[in-house]
Amino acid sequence: LPSPPSLQVQLLYIEDLTARYRRPCVMDVKVGTRTFLEADAASTRRRVDLALKMLAVDPAALSEEEAAAGVTKMEYMRWREVTSSSATLGWRIEGIRRARGGAAASHYPAPKLLREPEQLEQAVGWFCEGRPAVRRAFAARLAELRAALEASRWFATHELVSSSLLLLYDGDPHGAAPPGLWMIDFAKAAPLDGALVLTHRAPWQPGNCEDGYLTGVDSLLHLLSRPDPLAGECNPSGRSRPSRRARGASQSGAERA
């Protein structure tokens, strides 16, 4: 039935971004130098569940006394940032999955603990399987996104905390869908109070709401725009061959799958 003229209706459209790909290969990148809300910085409540999350990633992260007492949300989030590349580069890899083909699907091991540019370069190259065209497509899409964000008034007046970029391409060489890159996860996106405008590049200080989103975009775009060090290694089928370390990552992931 038609709605009355005075009735405003808001619709939420949900799309399965993987539907167009025969064998979707997926990488989730958390963007920003700050991945916690400013309200979390003021909380002094200690939580054992967060301590257990830390120990699950790094058993040596806390002493027995610290684990028993728990950690604050701020301590946990800052630990997540400094143990990954978030604090230094403004982005970190949350997860990578390459599609199932003739072999089992593979996941890159412990991507959240990658900190050094060389480690991230290796992981991104492994994800792209040494395909220069895929890497160039991601770089072009990210450059377009950065230009749109820099021109957006909405973006300048909102903080984006713990938001991600989703990178997808088809692992099937006969797939027709091009590689894609999308912004996702807006649960902690919030409008700013008053006349505050963000650069999304300035360092965070309590009260300025800077999140380092564009710092991460700049860094990721710089990496994607460089020549792929794996592009020259090809196997007899003509497909690019990952390096020894990347092949080890694939095997380890397949064993866990």
Side-chain angles (χ1 to χ4, degrees):
L1 295 178
S3 302
S6 60
L7 180 63
Q8 294 185 353
V9 179
Q10 293 183 341
L11 299 177
L12 177 64
Y13 291 90
I14 299 177
E15 178 184 2
D16 179 3
L17 297 176
T18 67
R20 70 190 73 180
Y21 299 104
R22 295 181 179 182
R23 288 167 48 192
C25 300
V26 186
M27 181 165 70
D28 184 333
V29 174
K30 189 75 69 179
V31 185
T33 55
R34 175 171 64 90
T35 59
F36 56 89
L37 296 172
E38 292 210 347
D40 294 332
S43 175
T44 59
R45 178 191 171 203
R46 296 197 163 274
R47 296 171 51 182
V48 174
D49 64 315
L50 296 181
L52 294 176
K53 285 186 177 182
M54 292 173 64
L55 294 174
V57 175
D58 181 4
L62 300 169
S63 66
E64 292 186 9
E65 294 78 9
E66 291 171 328
V71 297
T72 66
K73 183 69 175 291
M74 175 70 167
E75 290 171 337
Y76 171 73
M77 297 304 292
R78 291 299 292 170
W79 174 81
R80 285 286 304 274
E81 292 172 355
V82 300
T83 56
S84 68
S85 52
S86 290
T88 55
L89 300 179
W91 63 281
R92 70 170 179 256
I93 299 175
E94 289 288 286
I96 306 178
R97 180 187 184 276
R98 289 202 316 216
R100 290 183 183 274
S106 50
H107 301 257
Y108 203 86
K112 297 179 183 180
L113 296 180
L114 303 178
R115 286 189 297 180
E116 302 302 324
E118 295 79 9
Q119 295 175 321
L120 295 165
E121 175 71 69
Q122 188 75 37
V124 171
W126 181 88
F127 169 63
C128 294
E129 297 186 282
R131 302 185 190 183
V134 170
R135 193 179 181 113
R136 288 195 298 268
F138 286 143
R141 176 68 172 165
L142 187 57
E144 293 176 358
L145 176 61
R146 181 175 67 176
L149 292 176
E150 290 176 329
S152 170
R153 177 66 182 176
W154 182 93
F155 183 65
T157 56
H158 285 71
E159 62 175 333
L160 271 69
V161 175
S162 201
S163 183
S164 292
L165 294 173
L166 189 70
L167 287 73
L168 275 164
Y169 75 92
D170 203 329
D172 187 335
H174 302 294
L181 182 151
W182 293 268
M183 295 175 66
I184 62 171
D185 297 341
F186 301 101
K188 296 182 180 179
L192 304 176
D193 294 330
L196 192 61
V197 174
L198 300 184
T199 67
H200 293 283
R201 290 188 175 99
W204 174 71
Q205 296 177 353
N208 73 358
C209 294
E210 290 285 357
D211 52 29
Y213 192 97
L214 285 180
T215 298
V217 170
D218 293 340
S219 174
L220 179 58
L221 181 57
H222 177 71
L223 185 150
L224 290 172
S225 299
R226 296 206 307 263
D228 191 338
L230 302 183
E233 290 191 282
C234 294
N235 61 23
S237 69
R239 297 280 297 278
S240 295
R241 178 183 308 216
S243 67
R244 183 179 304 169
R245 177 178 173 182
R247 291 196 295 271
S250 176
Q251 292 168 0
S252 298
E255 289 172 0
R256 292 197 306 274

